[in-house]
Amino acid sequence: DGGITQSPKYLFRKEGQNVTLSCEQNLNHDAMYWYRQDPGQGLRLIYYSQIVNDFQKGDIAEGYSVSREKKESFPLTVTSAQKNPTAFYLCASSSKQGWGYTFGSGTRLTVV
Amino acid sequence: AQSVSQHNHHVILSEAASLELGCNYSYGGTVNLFWYVQYPGQHLQLLLKYFSGDPLVKGIKGFEAEFIKSKFSFNLRKPSVQWSDTAEYFCAVSLYNTDKLIFGTGTRLQVFP
């Protein structure tokens, strides 16, 4: 079955450490996205990529970095510069402009 | 900046009650409109979407939404809710010919038997 796989489902990180969240899709979608979900704040866009080897900052990119070396993969690194990294992170992809997204099941990151 | 407002943060209903969740957006141009649902412990799923044509859109599980351009609204409705509709509902807007979806803050719906 086609879909988006995010791993791990739960992740714990010590303060000061970088951590990378995985997102893989087998839908042959060109565009991929990373959102952060916090209670009462909805989903906020971190980074997005419309094509391999290209990506753009979203609304809350500070403290995060991404790469898009392959069409199927769009990993997100939460760096130690991110002041409040504890959140639920969602990866999504889309095949055509404006047609909506397919979401992964998310990664819950907790900084301890 | 474009934004999406969902004024109902938490809605509590009994089974068989009717549901209407509000969604307003701020953008004067052409938009595509979406409602997503997130059931407890599950990923976000598309309920319905509007691109053009009939402003009354029917989605899965008996949901529908009406696009009222003059009011910049895209309210979600269901005539009779079920306990299984308990979930969080997100309205989202994408500007015409762009990829980015702008989400509202979500509405948590609890349905009691």
Side-chain angles (χ1 to χ4, degrees), chain A residues 33 35 37 50 97-98 101 104, chain B residues 34 36 38 51 97 99 101:
Chain A
Y33 312 83
Y35 282 86
Q37 184 178 8
Q50 294 174 303
Q97 283 184 343
Y101 299 170
Chain B
F34 306 83
Y36 283 85
Q38 188 174 34
F51 295 148
N97 269 348
D99 278 326
L101 273 183

Side-chain angles (χ1 to χ4, degrees), chain B residues 20-36:
Chain B
E20 181 160 2
L21 301 182
C23 174
N24 289 89
Y25 63 93
S26 63
Y27 180 67
T30 303
V31 295
N32 296 327
L33 299 155
F34 306 83
W35 275 97
Y36 283 85

Side-chain angles (χ1 to χ4, degrees), chain A residues 48-85:
Chain A
Y48 64 105
S49 167
Q50 294 174 303
I51 196 169
V52 174
N53 291 323
D54 188 41
F55 48 83
Q56 288 78 39
K57 291 182 179 180
D59 301 317
I60 55 165
E62 186 176 348
Y64 299 98
S65 65
V66 293
S67 62
R68 187 86 187 275
E69 296 175 2
K70 298 186 298 182
K71 188 175 185 179
E72 303 79 24
S73 178
F74 191 41
L76 173 75
T77 297
V78 184
T79 75
S80 56
Q82 168 51 232
K83 292 183 174 59
N84 186 21

